[in-house]
Amino acid sequence: RIKRIKARQVFDSRANPTVEVDVELECGSRGRGTVPSGASTGIYEALELRDGNPNSFRGKSVLKAVENVNQCIAPALTGTNALKQSIIDMTMLNLDGTENKSKLGANAILGVSIATAWAAANACETPLYRYLGGVQAVTLPVPMVQIIGGGLHAGQSIDIQDFLIIPVGAATYSHGIEMVANVYHATKEVFTKYGKPLSVADEGGFWPTFSANAEGLDLLVEGIRQAGYQAGAEVAIALDIAASHFYQDGKYTFAAEGREMDSQEFARLLSGWVDKYPIISIEDGMAEDDWDGWSILSAQLKNRIQLIGDDLFTTNAGRIKRGIDQNIANSVLIKMNQIGTITETLQAVELTRNAGYLPVVSARSGETEDATIVHLAIATNAGQLKVGSIARTERTVKWNELLRIEEELGTEAVYPGQDIFRRIIK
Ligand code: PGA
Ligand code: ZN
């Protein structure tokens, strides 16, 4: 039973305040949840409550969310059985009473949800992935890792947000992440060769000083080859276009190239890239409200590559259902703070999988030392995890946790590798 819930304000990886919650049980077990924060957020996400006071952390303090945990959620949950995660989460949903968690704040609610799950797992002396996923939770996710940043995470110096890689040729997680590290270092050499600065964007990938978006693809292919891998067969490319953020009045604008396209033209551009480059996955290739554009893109690429909806679906069951009904995309990005509780996140993964879509568990651009998403990915056997780059501690804390769990699971571990995509690509 829950004895004490205590929230505080701490920092995320972008020097912005965020909510951290500690939960203590009567048996003495403790759990902690530190909430991440997005920058290229979807408009349908649950509300992240910030104070908006210009004199306090540039309007970004979260003291009201902290107070909501300490004054409102804590008294309501004290004495509740921490093993009943869905009751904990539903109690908070009822306390909040709004559609998008705007009264208490999704950041307040999620902090408690995560901290309670850890406290319960610790009370059971079980790793969190096992506690949430049971004995069948044995799948280590295939990593999707950012090598070059962009979009809102790099001052919009290039339009596309993430140039990522997936080590499809690896037989184990540790081999896969080693391949990723090799490509990261090789791409750094490629950047140096072309006289590009070695600065990094928000998620630790290299900062883009490009004249055109496709230059990122060329550099990445060169980085993969420079590392000694076959581009495509061993290391494939994934993109997060984050198209919502350069879409307006029916037009997609590549500001960096002075180029404007309608949905049809933009879909043709992306399909052309899939023909030319070893791309296996594209996220948010169309904007969150451009369902027609999504239909066009899905018709062209759904059977060829993974098409992920992030801003499109916002881990929201209603929006995921609409996508499934309209045969749009074939994969869903899963972010806990887009929806706000562990229970609803687990439901979103189940809905995704039941439709034959692939779930990709994901971090946010603003992260912390919290590694809960790693456990979530294994608990749900999601098969894929996206965390940003392989540099910076808020990123490596996730990749390193996976190395430890791989060691712990030993021969019990399952690593899907390339096979994960066979479920969607014909
Ligand atoms: P965000 O970026 O956390 O800033 O939303 C991550 C993503 O778009 O996948
Ligand atoms: Zn995204």
Side-chain angles (χ1 to χ4, degrees):
R1 297 198 178 272
I2 293 177
K3 180 176 159 198
R4 214 167 68 97
I5 299 179
K6 167 101 182 73
R8 68 181 68 84
Q9 176 172 283
V10 297
F11 288 104
D12 73 11
S13 56
R14 270 193 290 239
N16 289 324
T18 191
V19 177
E20 177 169 277
V21 178
D22 287 346
V23 166
E24 189 185 342
L25 308 185
E26 280 165 12
C27 66
S29 290
R30 290 159 185 266
R32 171 171 292 170
T34 316
V35 178
S37 174
S40 84
T41 47
I43 54 177
Y44 299 102
E45 295 191 18
L47 183 104
E48 178 184 76
L49 188 61
R50 294 202 181 267
D51 299 330
N53 170 4
N55 298 323
S56 176
F57 293 95
R58 300 166 164 254
K60 292 200 171 233
S61 59
V62 291
L63 299 172
K64 180 73 186 140
V66 166
E67 186 189 302
N68 288 346
V69 173
N70 293 335
Q71 307 295 330
C72 180
I73 297 175
L77 288 181
T78 304
T80 309
N81 185 346
L83 297 175
K84 310 228 157 161
Q85 185 73 36
S86 62
I87 289 182
I88 303 271
D89 290 342
M90 291 314 134
T91 303
M92 290 192 284
L93 290 192
N94 290 336
L95 265 181
D96 179 84
T98 68
E99 183 76 16
N100 65 344
K101 303 182 176 69
S102 52
K103 184 167 166 227
L104 297 174
N107 41 353
I109 293 172
L110 182 62
V112 175
S113 188
I114 293 174
T116 306
W118 277 104
N122 289 339
C124 300
E125 294 183 23
T126 310
L128 184 62
Y129 65 87
R130 215 7 84 83
Y131 169 72
L132 289 175
V135 290
Q136 292 184 45
V138 291
T139 307
L140 299 172
V142 175
M144 181 189 288
V145 186
Q146 188 197 69
I147 303 296
I148 303 167
L152 291 174
H153 302 160
Q156 286 180 298
S157 57
I158 198 74
D159 309 285
I160 289 181
Q161 182 181 288
D162 292 316
F163 297 85
L164 313 107
I165 56 168
I166 302 178
V168 289
T172 60
Y173 165 73
S174 46
H175 183 213
I177 204 72
E178 178 183 346
M179 290 164 81
V180 168
N182 287 336
V183 173
Y184 181 84
H185 290 293
T187 307
K188 195 174 192 173
E189 286 165 12
V190 172
F191 267 57
T192 304
K193 174 177 141 191
Y194 293 116
K196 295 193 176 295
L198 293 176
S199 341
V200 293
D202 281 6
E203 297 190 9
F206 299 114
W207 184 280
T209 44
F210 307 155
S211 51
N213 286 276
E215 195 183 335
L217 290 164
D218 291 322
L219 288 168
L220 203 46
V221 169
E222 194 169 337
I224 293 168
R225 294 202 176 122
Q226 166 96 356
Y229 301 118
Q230 264 179 288
E234 290 179 298
V235 178
I237 291 178
L239 295 173
D240 183 358
I241 309 290
S244 304
H245 304 284
F246 53 83
Y247 176 75
Q248 214 181 356
D249 304 326
K251 296 284 183 200
Y252 292 90
T253 305
F254 275 174
E257 302 174 28
R259 191 170 171 193
E260 200 180 81
M261 292 159 275
D262 64 20
S263 307
Q264 195 85 46
E265 291 163 331
F266 196 55
R268 204 173 310 132
L269 172 100
L270 296 179
S271 293
W273 282 354
V274 172
D275 293 337
K276 184 170 174 203
Y277 297 100
I279 295 170
I280 196 166
S281 177
I282 295 183
E283 178 179 332
D284 282 348
M286 291 283 161
E288 57 211 342
D289 278 327
D290 185 12
W291 292 89
D292 293 339
W294 268 103
S295 285
I296 297 167
L297 187 71
S298 301
Q300 292 181 16
L301 290 178
K302 196 172 151 77
N303 294 331
R304 295 182 63 194
I305 63 165
Q306 172 168 259
L307 286 180
I308 312 174
D310 169 16
D311 292 347
L312 175 70
F313 293 135
T314 56
T315 317
N316 179 303
R319 293 188 64 85
I320 299 170
K321 276 194 198 117
R322 180 169 173 191
I324 293 165
D325 288 345
Q326 297 187 19
N327 203 18
I328 276 168
N330 54 22
S331 175
V332 179
L333 206 73
I334 302 289
K335 291 169 165 169
M336 288 192 290
N337 79 327
Q338 279 183 332
I339 190 69
T341 61
I342 288 192
T343 302
E344 289 164 289
T345 306
L346 294 172
Q347 286 165 351
V349 174
E350 193 174 297
L351 175 64
T352 299
R353 201 194 321 267
N354 287 346
Y357 281 39
L358 298 181
V360 180
V361 174
S362 173
R364 300 307 306 240
S365 51
E367 268 296 332
T368 72
E369 57 270 45
D370 190 296
T372 307
I373 56 165
V374 169
H375 292 261
L376 178 74
I378 300 172
T380 56
N381 291 303
Q384 292 180 81
L385 180 67
K386 180 189 180 203
V387 170
S389 190
I390 186 169
R392 315 286 132 185
T393 308
E394 82 278 8
R395 311 292 151 187
T396 53
V397 75
K398 279 73 161 176
W399 303 127
N400 290 344
E401 181 81 340
L402 267 172
L403 287 171
R404 293 179 204 110
I405 297 173
E406 181 181 48
E407 184 182 289
E408 184 174 284
L409 286 174
T411 54
E412 212 191 343
V414 172
Y415 182 73
Q418 183 127 274
D419 286 348
I420 195 83
F421 299 111
R422 299 228 163 94
R423 294 187 207 156
I424 49 168
I425 300 171
K426 308 290 180 292

